[in-house]
């Protein structure tokens, strides 16, 4: 561009500024300011094309800038060279602005190479000077202004692109890092830093899994070739849920196998018991026996009946009889207690049944499982205490329209911070041989299945109090 | 009436046999399927108490091999819940252990008597 084109109205520093603009707003602001020195400028209207957002329309006036998307250029609004007060342009702008316009100078700014082969046009609306005079000033500068605008649009395009990618990268839920050939981190997302670095983990990139307090991450990698260099994209997948699910499944399979085994044992026991019972009955009927022997044999019969009760109870418990029925919570609890005898006998156990039937609508077998879990937990909680300090209290009551089962103990209790955790799968404070960490999780889901709740409170006995609430049902 | 009892549980064999004898029947007992089949064929019982799970030859296979020799009545017994009446087609009665032996014997006697009263000594 010949130096003579830079006149006192448009000095070189102005063009330097214009060239280094990073946004269309700044660009328009500069032009507006400069133009105001030439004549009274009312507004600038720029129609251009952005790579990310498509056609854009900027209106710049003394109130600032107004930017919006619009459908496309009107064909007749595109000037091929600088023109002033063209009828078409004024009509087009009147439609666009919703008012009649003043003098209009239309500058075709061909930013093709930067703005994706779409032409742009800048309209200058002004008063007080003859349009031809202003047109003359711009005619020699047009190509330079075009270049500047092209540059600005490209910068905006890049900026938006970077923002989009950074946001995407950071919004990814998985911690992700890009490594170079020497396994140095060259880029990583926010999750990577917060989850892995802020937890003071000395991150070994060779490590396949990372164990956090309640999360497990598994490393996955794949190569990416960029500019003939091989990078490794390395991301950590949160496996906590799927691991929990897998463990739950293993546990379930194990339990059902145990259940089957137990059932088979129970059935096999029935066989000899039948014999013992019949034999004892036969003997009692015999005339030859004295009274005390007869009584002894009578006791054998009773014990056999008891054994058979236990077996049939066990079979009901283990079989998948999940049918929902209306049942009395008192009865369910009574049928569960024999299974817990070995624990309750040494735990200072007491149970208060409700004086009237407590009808609930649920699967008795599943509720039995919940009661079993709660009482077992309570008894295990007091196991370490002296026998005179051991206390486990269970009670069944009716509260408004709800059946309530409370199980509380005098054990060490559950720390407040663990109150939420305690219902999570595999959370346990017990020794491995005593618990899987599933009991309470399963219990809670059972209770919630029947529209009830299982809550933990502090007990006046000193330990924990579990409160199961189920809606009462009409018998 | 000849009563054959095939069960691997000693006490059940003893009790059933005892009750049957006390009611005036002749009994034989066997503790496995193979011996049970032989005795069945030679003894020609009027009434058979047959357990399902037996050593060497299970109750059902035994029943198939023996067939009905002499219009004898067959009472199947099992402690296992997965067997029920529907599991056995060719059987006159199915009882789940534990059961009241005296009562079941009475029912069984009636079954035999009602079908062929003249053949019973």
């Amino acid at each position: 561009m010949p130096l003579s084109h830079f006149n006192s109205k448009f000095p070189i520093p102005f063009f330097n500024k214009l060239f280094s603009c990073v946004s269309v707003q700044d660009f328009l602001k500069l032009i507006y300011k400069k133009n105001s020195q030439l004549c009274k400028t009312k507004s600038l209207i720029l129609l251009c094309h952005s790579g990310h957002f498509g056609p854009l329309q900027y209106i710049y006036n003394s109130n600032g800038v107004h930017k919006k998307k619009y459908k496309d250029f009107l064909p007749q609004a595109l000037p091929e060279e600088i023109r002033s007060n063209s009828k078409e342009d004024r009509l087009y702008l009147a439609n666009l602005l919703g008012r009649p316009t003043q003098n209009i100078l239309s500058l075709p700014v061909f930013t093709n190479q930067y703005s994706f082969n779409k032409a742009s046009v800048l309209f200058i609306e002004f008063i007080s000077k003859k349009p031809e005079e202003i047109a003359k000033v711009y005619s020699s500068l047009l190509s330079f202004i075009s270049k500047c605008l092209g540059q600005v649009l490209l910068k905006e395009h890049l900026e938006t692109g970077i923002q989009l990618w950074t946001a995407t990268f950071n919004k990814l839920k998985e911690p992700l890092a890009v490594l170079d050939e020497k396994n140095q981190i060259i880029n990583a997302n926010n999750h990577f830093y917060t989850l892995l670095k802020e937890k003071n983990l000395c991150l070994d990139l060779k490590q396949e899994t990372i164990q956090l307090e309640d999360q497990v991450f598994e490393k996955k990698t794949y190569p990416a070739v960029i500019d003939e260099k091989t990078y490794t994209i390395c991301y950590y997948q949160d496996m906590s849920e799927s691991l929990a699910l897998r463990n739950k499944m293993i546990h379930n399979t194990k339990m059902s196998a145990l259940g089957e085994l137990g059932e088979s044992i129970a059935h096999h026991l029935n066989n000899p018991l039948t014999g013992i019972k019949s034999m004892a009955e036969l003997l009692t009927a015999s005339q030859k026996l004295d009274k005390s022997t007869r009584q002894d044999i009578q006791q054998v019969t009773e014990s056999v009946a008891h054994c058979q009760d236990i077996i049939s109870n066990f079979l009901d418990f283990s079989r998948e009889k999940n049918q929902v029925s209306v049942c009395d919570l008192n009865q369910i609890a009574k049928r569960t207690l024999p299974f817990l005898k070995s624990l309750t006998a040494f735990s200072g156990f007491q149970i208060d049944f409700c004086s009237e039937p407590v009808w609930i609508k649920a699967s008795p077998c599943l509720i039995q499982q919940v009661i079993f879990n709660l009482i077992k937990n309570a008894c295990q909680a007091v196991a370490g205490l002296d026998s005179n300090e051991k206390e486990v209290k269970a009670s069944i009551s009716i509260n408004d329209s709800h059946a309530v089962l409370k199980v509380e103990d005098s054990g060490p209790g559950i720390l407040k911070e663990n109150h939420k955790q305690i219902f999570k799968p595999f959370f346990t404070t017990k020794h491995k041989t005593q618990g899987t960490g599933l009991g309470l999780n399963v219990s809670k889901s059972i209770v919630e299945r029947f529209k009830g709740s299982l809550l933990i409170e502090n007990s006046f006995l000193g330990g924990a109090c579990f409160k199961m609430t189920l809606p009462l049902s009409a018998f | 009436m000849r009563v054959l009892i095939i069960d691997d549980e000693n006490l059940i064999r003893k009790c059933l046999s005892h009750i049957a004898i006390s009611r005036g029947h002749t009994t034989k007992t066997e503790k496995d399927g193979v011996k049970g089949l032989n005795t069945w064929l030679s003894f020609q019982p009027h009434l058979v108490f047959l357990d399902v799970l037996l050593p060497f030859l299970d109750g059902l296979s035994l029943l198939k091999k023996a067939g009905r020799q002499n219009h004898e009545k067959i009472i199947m017994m099992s402690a296992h819940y997965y067997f029920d009446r529907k599991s056995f087609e060719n059987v006159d009665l199915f009882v789940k252990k534990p059961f009241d032996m005296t009562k079941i014997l009475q029912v069984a006697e009636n079954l035999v008597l009602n079908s062929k009263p003249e053949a019973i000594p």
Side-chain angles (χ1 to χ4, degrees):
Chain A
M1 191 179 295
L3 267 178
S4 59
H5 287 161
F6 297 104
N7 47 41
S8 57
K9 300 251 164 70
F10 285 85
I12 291 175
F14 167 73
F15 282 104
N16 276 340
K17 262 192 189 169
L18 200 62
F19 202 74
S20 54
C21 277
V22 288
S23 71
V24 177
Q25 272 100 318
D26 292 349
F27 174 85
L28 290 174
K29 196 176 168 186
L30 278 175
I31 302 262
Y32 186 86
K33 257 186 173 172
K34 264 298 149 198
N35 202 66
S36 300
Q37 288 167 6
L38 297 174
C39 58
K40 196 170 180 202
T41 313
K42 222 176 159 197
S43 62
L44 300 177
I45 296 107
L46 174 70
L47 306 177
C48 63
H49 207 275
S50 135
H52 288 292
F53 305 114
L56 286 175
Q57 155 202 311
Y58 292 86
I59 300 172
Y60 194 98
N61 53 32
S62 52
N63 295 330
V65 72
H66 178 73
K67 171 183 169 183
K68 74 172 188 190
K69 281 182 91 161
Y70 79 111
K71 277 188 179 163
D72 216 348
F73 288 125
L74 291 174
Q76 62 266 52
L78 272 178
E80 284 181 3
E81 51 192 25
I82 298 184
R83 62 188 184 198
S84 52
N85 283 343
S86 132
K87 236 186 180 176
E88 288 150 359
D89 294 348
R90 292 187 72 168
L91 189 70
Y92 171 72
L93 289 175
N95 269 331
L96 190 93
L97 301 168
R99 61 171 169 81
T101 54
Q102 306 288 336
N103 287 330
I104 290 292
L105 188 68
S106 316
L107 306 177
V109 269
F110 297 105
T111 57
N112 292 13
Q113 76 234 51
Y114 298 126
S115 61
F116 317 96
N117 292 327
K118 296 278 161 86
S120 306
V121 54
L122 177 67
F123 298 105
I124 303 172
E125 189 191 15
F126 61 96
I127 20 183
S128 79
K129 274 260 168 103
K130 279 190 180 165
E132 294 77 23
E133 251 175 81
I134 309 291
K136 215 173 167 188
V137 176
Y138 280 100
S139 64
S140 58
L141 299 168
L142 192 60
S143 74
F144 196 79
I145 289 177
S146 295
K147 267 189 188 143
C148 285
L149 181 64
Q151 194 77 8
V152 170
L153 285 173
L154 184 68
K155 280 180 197 163
E156 274 206 342
H157 181 70
L158 280 177
E159 189 55 38
T160 325
I162 290 168
Q163 276 173 9
L164 260 169
W165 277 107
T166 323
T168 314
F169 193 58
N170 280 331
K171 282 275 148 60
L172 283 176
K173 262 170 118 187
E174 284 88 14
L176 188 143
V178 184
L179 314 177
D180 65 9
E181 284 148 326
K182 288 171 192 161
N183 261 352
Q184 296 293 312
I185 297 172
I186 52 170
N187 203 354
N189 66 358
N190 287 353
H191 282 265
F192 184 85
Y193 288 119
T194 48
L195 268 163
L196 303 174
K197 285 212 159 165
E198 279 183 13
K199 297 220 171 190
N200 270 338
L201 263 171
C202 181
L203 182 62
D204 178 5
L205 290 164
K206 284 176 194 153
Q207 212 174 315
E208 292 301 321
T209 53
I210 289 168
Q211 184 94 40
L212 296 184
E213 212 173 282
D214 52 355
Q215 274 174 306
V216 183
F217 288 95
E218 210 173 278
K219 190 177 88 171
K220 307 247 156 135
T221 54
Y222 50 91
V225 180
I226 306 163
D227 283 345
E228 291 178 0
K229 270 189 180 175
T230 313
Y231 295 92
T232 310
I233 294 171
C234 160
Y235 73 100
Y236 292 85
Q237 204 172 0
D238 187 348
M239 303 299 285
S240 325
E241 250 175 59
S242 64
L243 271 180
L245 220 69
R246 200 169 71 191
N247 286 346
K248 212 169 179 172
M249 211 179 72
I250 292 172
H251 179 80
N252 279 347
T253 322
K254 192 171 131 193
M255 288 321 280
S256 81
L258 272 178
E260 272 174 42
L261 193 71
E263 255 177 60
S264 157
I265 292 172
H267 284 296
H268 280 295
L269 283 177
N270 253 340
N271 227 4
L273 280 176
T274 310
I276 296 171
K277 193 183 166 199
S278 310
M279 194 52 124
E281 277 167 2
L282 271 181
L283 285 173
T284 347
S286 155
Q287 305 294 319
K288 290 174 220 159
L289 294 176
D290 60 67
K291 203 181 167 192
S292 97
T293 318
R294 195 185 302 269
Q295 273 174 352
D296 288 349
I297 295 172
Q298 190 72 42
Q299 272 185 5
V300 173
T301 318
E302 278 165 23
S303 299
V304 170
H306 187 209
C307 289
Q308 283 174 333
D309 271 354
I310 294 176
I311 288 172
S312 83
N313 238 338
F314 171 80
L315 289 176
D316 283 349
F317 184 57
S318 74
R319 248 177 262 168
E320 275 184 79
K321 264 193 189 167
N322 289 348
Q323 292 114 323
V324 177
S325 62
V326 175
C327 41
D328 179 6
L329 189 56
N330 286 319
Q331 291 306 322
I332 301 177
K334 272 179 198 161
R335 287 179 50 198
T336 318
L337 292 178
F339 298 121
L340 289 155
K341 223 170 184 175
S342 60
L343 280 166
T344 50
F346 309 102
S347 305
F349 178 74
Q350 263 190 325
I351 181 160
D352 291 328
F353 293 104
C354 188
S355 52
E356 47 184 315
V358 183
W359 300 115
I360 53 167
K361 198 176 176 189
S363 150
C365 177
L366 291 176
I367 297 299
Q368 214 175 1
Q369 202 176 332
V370 177
I371 300 173
F372 181 89
N373 275 329
L374 295 182
I375 297 180
K376 185 192 74 183
N377 281 347
C379 292
Q380 284 174 339
V382 298
L385 303 179
D386 286 338
S387 55
N388 56 345
E389 288 174 346
K390 284 181 181 176
E391 248 184 302
V392 174
K393 267 190 182 162
S395 67
I396 294 171
S397 57
I398 294 178
N399 187 359
D400 290 336
S401 56
H402 284 90
V404 179
L405 168 84
K406 267 192 187 181
V407 179
E408 43 198 319
D409 61 71
S410 60
I414 289 151
L415 293 175
K416 185 102 194 175
E417 61 255 39
N418 285 341
H419 277 199
K420 266 191 186 162
Q421 303 263 56
I422 197 127
F423 292 111
K424 279 190 182 172
F426 305 106
F427 181 87
T428 183
T429 52
K430 296 178 197 165
H431 187 263
K432 259 189 183 170
T433 53
Q434 276 198 312
T436 54
L438 275 172
L440 282 173
N441 177 256
V442 171
S443 299
K444 194 176 166 76
S445 53
I446 290 175
V447 178
E448 281 170 359
R449 196 164 130 189
F450 301 114
K451 301 189 173 69
S453 64
L454 183 62
L455 299 171
I456 175 169
E457 292 171 356
N458 289 323
S459 164
F460 65 92
L461 294 176
C465 170
F466 284 90
K467 188 172 153 190
M468 175 182 87
T469 316
L470 282 164
L472 277 182
S473 168
F475 177 63
Chain B
M1 199 184 283
R2 289 186 295 275
V3 181
L4 172 61
I5 300 153
I6 309 169
D7 196 308
D8 56 342
E9 183 59 43
N10 183 25
L11 282 177
I12 290 181
R13 286 200 306 273
K14 242 183 169 171
C15 281
L16 264 177
S17 164
H18 190 101
I19 297 169
I21 290 168
S22 72
R23 295 175 69 84
H25 305 303
T26 320
T27 65
K28 275 200 175 179
T29 59
E30 288 302 347
K31 60 178 174 183
D32 69 59
V34 176
K35 281 183 185 160
L37 180 61
N38 290 334
T39 313
W40 190 325
L41 298 177
S42 59
F43 184 49
Q44 302 216 323
H46 298 101
L47 187 59
V48 182
F49 281 93
L50 181 59
D51 190 18
V52 181
L53 298 181
L54 286 169
F56 308 131
L57 185 66
D58 69 87
L60 276 180
S61 315
L62 195 157
L63 188 59
K64 256 184 211 159
K65 288 199 175 174
R68 293 234 180 199
Q69 299 292 320
N70 222 349
H71 302 289
E72 60 272 56
K73 294 290 163 191
I74 297 152
I75 295 165
M76 213 75 185
M77 313 175 285
S78 181
H80 285 256
Y81 76 98
Y82 43 80
F83 295 122
D84 55 25
R85 184 68 186 86
K86 287 175 205 148
S87 321
F88 313 100
E89 286 172 6
N90 234 346
V91 165
D92 299 290
L93 195 64
F94 171 76
V95 288
K96 225 171 213 181
K97 291 176 191 171
F99 60 93
D100 187 322
M101 291 185 179
T102 316
K103 254 188 205 161
I104 293 297
L105 205 70
Q106 274 171 8
V107 173
E109 280 165 6
N110 285 336
L111 277 176
V112 179
L113 290 173
N114 287 342
S115 69
K116 243 179 133 191
E118 69 282 3
I120 312 297

